[in-house]
Amino acid sequence: MSMPIQDGAWESTRGRAGRRAASTATRTRGSGAEAVPIQEATIAGLRAALSAGRLTSVELTRFYLSRIDLLNTDGPQLRAVIETNPDALRDAAELDAERERGRVRGPLHGLPLLVKDNLDTVGPLHTTAGSTALLGSRPARDATVVTRLRQAGAVVLGKSNLSGWISGSGGRTARGGQCRNPYQLDRSPGGSSSGSAVGVSANLCVAAIGTETVGSILDPASLNGVVGIKPTVGLTSRAGMIPGMPSMDTVGPIGRTVADAAALLGPLTGVDPLDPATAASGDHRYTDYTRFLDPSGLRGARIGIPRRGYFGENRHSDAVGEEAIRLLAALGATVVDDVELPSPGDLADRFDVLGIVQFREAKHHKNVYLARTPGEHPRSLTELIKFNREHADTELVHFGQQALEMIDAGGDDLTDPAYLEALATMHRLTRDEGIDAALGRHGLDALMLPSTQPAWKIDLVNGDPDVMSSALVPGLAGYPAVSLPAGRAHGLPVGVTFTASAWSEPRLITLASAFEHAARARRVPGFTSPAVG
């Protein structure tokens, strides 16, 4: 059902048509024709409407473009979308014509999706990581996952905002501005797949693609009341992705339901010669992950609950976590409480090791990406830092670039024994002595943790606070995880995360779908303005 926007002050002459579209959230054809609800519609529902001829891709794309026009830079100014695709309606029309001729490219045929602005796209859309430094970048080809989306029939609706080079406030970039949480507009959307999560939550698209190094899908999914799947490193290709740290980088789906995220995951997978890490995925990938959805999937499952460092950090996430534990038991799962797992604090204490991995990989792979990508732009991290200094009034308005400078000052040799030893230690701590050990010791199917605390206030002076995130261990391990809505605190979403060993996406989707079916925690955001006084 549609939720009309209440604040009349947001209405403008330019936005009234879009406001009407957002309020009705339907299209009709002729007198007495059945209305097709769009807002909060699922991928399965939209596919059925498209197949039956009750909806066209052009109409669906026009709806989302109108809604972006209404909510992104006007109205609540969500700043979730950096730019829309000027060819989106043309592409949708071509897909409609193909459907009329009996050709359906794949499971996403005619569905408009947002793509994070660190994934290469060829054509009118830029690929900039939100930085003006890369406005002259001209990638030679689409990122592999973008190619696969197009092959599956998706309409690339636009590029979503993110946390840029200059860390400080999640969801802020020079090009995109400050992305805002759609539940309470003075609250953070998290990072770095901020715009993808906000776009999905605010119904600016059917679903979206995010990327994760550590927490970049899972955390914004929790803060914005949607579902995020962080795949095993190597299940989805990173070719054409502006890299973070490739031992941890992965590309994954964000949807309003587990079923939507699962439907989007399948088309993203597959071995890619441009990304050697995907070679290991051959026997572990599925083209359709919706086959693992099961409302009874928690019956007989064994779920471990790590507490040290994950509970006791925030009373609101604790309360949601405790209620989630009770729900697991009610749904027939055996709950094994207080399972040992390295805490975020434990891992932070090993920065002597983790820092070597993160800094070396960030420098090496960013330099490679910048050097090989065609166009007029900085060709190295050193040149990027210089560009930022010369354009400080745009790039360094609120925060400095100390992190980039620290990375650039270090080494980038990935054959150095010190790096290789650090990488092995990181995997030992988070895999052998971490997730794998916890699962094996207790015969568990998965671990469940509060994803993170409710969204904090945006602070452009001090930046984001240091908060607990359950994404740290699976992120460093390169293991899969699913975050989904579990409850609320003062109107703000709070999620829980299921995680397990490598290639366990099918099992995690089963467990998450059963939890979602019972919890029904997703709520449409209300775009609440901050209180005055």
Side-chain angles (χ1 to χ4, degrees):
M1 179 179 293
S2 167
M3 176 174 286
I5 297 169
Q6 301 297 322
D7 189 344
W10 290 348
E11 184 171 297
S12 66
T13 302
R14 185 166 70 93
R16 274 197 284 270
R19 178 175 176 138
R20 285 194 296 272
S23 295
T24 59
T26 62
R27 51 82 55 185
T28 57
R29 176 177 295 162
S31 176
E34 180 184 358
V36 178
I38 296 177
Q39 188 170 332
E40 293 291 292
T42 64
I43 286 178
L46 291 172
R47 285 173 61 183
L50 289 164
S51 296
R54 295 186 293 113
L55 180 69
T56 67
S57 181
V58 167
E59 290 165 331
L60 188 58
T61 302
R62 186 175 290 122
F63 168 82
Y64 286 121
L65 290 172
S66 294
R67 194 159 168 87
I68 291 169
D69 182 62
L70 171 69
L71 299 176
N72 194 61
T73 54
D74 281 355
Q77 300 179 24
L78 295 176
R79 303 284 182 182
V81 182
I82 288 183
E83 61 180 325
T84 55
N85 183 2
D87 293 339
L89 287 170
R90 184 204 68 185
D91 295 345
E94 291 178 358
L95 291 163
D96 283 335
E98 289 181 11
R99 187 183 293 276
E100 288 287 335
R101 296 193 298 269
R103 181 194 177 199
V104 175
R105 294 190 189 185
L108 304 177
H109 192 103
L111 298 182
L113 307 178
L114 286 172
V115 173
K116 188 175 177 182
D117 188 38
N118 65 344
L119 292 167
D120 286 348
T121 47
V122 174
L125 288 169
H126 297 86
T127 303
T128 66
S131 171
T132 60
L134 292 188
L135 280 171
S137 171
R138 298 291 181 267
R141 59 172 65 90
D142 282 339
T144 297
V145 290
V146 174
T147 296
R148 288 175 174 164
L149 289 177
R150 297 191 200 274
Q151 290 171 342
V155 176
V156 177
L157 188 64
K159 302 299 278 286
S160 56
N161 203 1
L162 63 158
S163 303
W165 312 111
I166 310 305
S167 59
S169 178
R172 187 185 185 283
T173 60
R175 289 190 63 217
Q178 176 63 58
C179 188
R180 306 171 79 184
N181 191 296
Y183 290 87
Q184 294 182 23
L185 299 174
D186 64 338
R187 299 281 171 162
S188 174
S192 68
S193 300
S194 321
S196 293
V198 171
V200 171
S201 187
N203 284 271
L204 305 184
C205 56
V206 175
I209 302 301
T211 68
E212 171 142 356
T213 305
V214 176
S216 299
I217 290 175
L218 301 175
D219 288 353
S222 177
L223 296 179
N224 296 287
V226 291
V227 178
I229 298 179
K230 172 196 125 46
T232 304
V233 170
L235 184 65
T236 57
S237 173
R238 290 85 48 85
M241 169 186 168
I242 299 176
M245 298 148 204
S247 67
M248 297 165 248
D249 287 345
T250 187
V251 180
I254 298 176
R256 285 182 288 274
T257 66
V258 175
D260 282 1
L264 188 51
L265 178 59
L268 298 178
T269 66
V271 174
D272 177 13
L274 297 176
D275 182 356
T278 62
S281 73
D283 295 332
H284 300 288
R285 66 174 288 260
Y286 296 85
T287 57
D288 180 10
Y289 284 86
T290 63
R291 62 191 283 192
F292 301 108
L293 300 169
D294 183 358
S296 302
L298 278 161
R299 188 175 300 140
R302 291 178 59 82
I303 309 296
I305 311 297
R307 287 193 176 269
R308 186 178 61 86
Y310 299 97
F311 285 77
E313 301 296 314
N314 180 274
R315 62 187 179 90
H316 301 297
S317 57
D318 284 355
V320 171
E322 296 292 357
E323 182 58 34
I325 292 169
R326 288 189 285 271
L327 183 57
L328 292 178
L331 294 173
T334 298
V335 175
V336 181
D337 209 345
D338 204 14
V339 169
E340 183 63 24
L341 188 73
S343 71
D346 294 336
L347 295 171
D349 288 343
R350 295 305 310 270
F351 190 75
D352 60 318
V353 169
L354 304 183
I356 293 174
V357 176
Q358 294 172 13
F359 281 33
R360 294 250 181 133
E361 290 191 5
K363 180 175 181 178
H364 176 89
H365 290 284
K366 281 182 172 61
N367 278 339
V368 169
Y369 177 89
L370 292 169
R372 77 174 183 216
T373 301
E376 296 296 324
H377 58 82
R379 315 303 298 184
S380 68
L381 202 53
T382 301
E383 290 185 16
L384 175 65
I385 290 168
K386 180 184 178 187
F387 177 96
N388 291 339
R389 288 180 186 143
E390 293 172 348
H391 299 83
D393 58 337
T394 300
E395 295 291 332
L396 305 176
V397 175
H398 294 287
F399 302 102
Q401 57 178 343
Q402 292 88 344
L404 284 181
E405 291 168 350
M406 288 176 62
I407 292 170
D408 195 42
D412 65 350
D413 182 0
L414 302 188
T415 65
D416 180 6
Y419 162 77
L420 296 173
E421 182 180 353
L423 181 62
T425 300
M426 182 180 80
H427 286 160
R428 173 176 57 79
L429 293 173
T430 57
R431 296 177 179 179
D432 304 345
E433 299 173 9
I435 292 174
D436 293 336
L439 298 176
R441 188 178 299 121
H442 302 283
L444 303 174
D445 291 279
L447 305 172
M448 191 196 77
L449 317 91
S451 296
T452 188
Q453 70 181 51
W456 47 91
K457 287 189 176 182
I458 295 168
D459 186 344
L460 296 180
V461 175
N462 301 304
D464 290 343
D466 184 15
V467 300
M468 185 285 295
S469 170
S470 64
L472 185 58
V473 176
L476 297 177
Y479 282 0
V482 179
S483 178
L484 72 159
R488 293 171 303 284
H490 300 289
L492 293 167
V494 179
V496 294
T497 292
F498 290 90
T499 188
S501 296
W503 319 116
S504 62
E505 286 84 358
R507 189 62 175 142
L508 295 178
I509 287 169
T510 296
L511 300 173
S513 67
F515 183 92
E516 177 188 64
H517 181 77
R520 300 186 184 277
R522 160 76 182 165
R523 296 292 182 272
V524 180
F527 313 108
T528 303
S529 297
V532 177

